[in-house]
Amino acid sequence: QVQLVESGGGSVQAGGSLRLSCVASGNPYSTYCMGWLRQVPGKERERVAHITTAPGSTYFSDAVKGRFTISRDDAKNTFYLQMNNLKPEDTAMYYCAAASSIYNCDFDYWGRGTQVTVST
């Protein structure tokens, strides 16, 4: 079992940057895929990014590709989402997530969320 806690959200002007962190407890080394989801009220949840264990493949949605990066530090039981050149469209509740399966990135653990607000 893995428990996830996000932090690093806040309010920022368009063009600014934020770094979200997610601390995993339990057995993070048993997870194959970790990543981030975001959701705006009234809209469907969107997968933003994920990263797998070695060889460390990554995924980014078209909306954030080139602006966001994802990384993980298993020694600290932590993974990150670096968000650069933020746009108002990035405003959402961001959730870190993990997949315990070694075969896919179907998330089965979610955090409680951290709010990101980007103003014009």
Side-chain angles (χ1 to χ4, degrees):
Q1 182 179 355
V2 176
Q3 295 179 336
L4 306 171
V5 180
E6 309 95 332
S7 64
S11 297
V12 65
Q13 290 280 90
S17 299
L18 286 172
R19 187 177 75 159
L20 305 184
S21 300
C22 182
V23 178
S25 61
N27 189 7
Y29 294 96
S30 70
T31 62
Y32 166 70
C33 184
M34 296 180 173
W36 297 87
L37 309 169
R38 67 184 182 185
Q39 188 168 27
V40 177
K43 296 184 179 180
E44 294 185 353
R45 185 176 62 244
E46 174 189 9
R47 182 179 294 246
V48 176
H50 68 236
I51 183 168
T52 62
T53 56
S57 298
T58 60
Y59 161 85
F60 297 95
S61 70
D62 289 341
V64 308
K65 190 175 298 183
R67 299 188 295 118
F68 292 9
T69 60
I70 188 169
S71 61
R72 59 189 291 170
D73 186 345
D74 289 335
K76 298 181 179 179
N77 299 329
T78 304
F79 64 103
Y80 308 93
L81 184 69
Q82 178 67 47
M83 306 184 293
N84 298 319
N85 192 23
L86 284 161
K87 302 177 180 180
E89 304 93 281
D90 296 317
T91 295
M93 183 72 75
Y94 284 72
Y95 303 87
C96 63
S100 58
S101 173
I102 64 172
Y103 302 114
N104 58 54
C105 285
D106 296 331
F107 296 138
D108 49 9
Y109 298 101
W110 294 5
R112 299 293 291 179
T114 185
Q115 179 67 38
V116 172
T117 302
V118 184
S119 61
T120 59

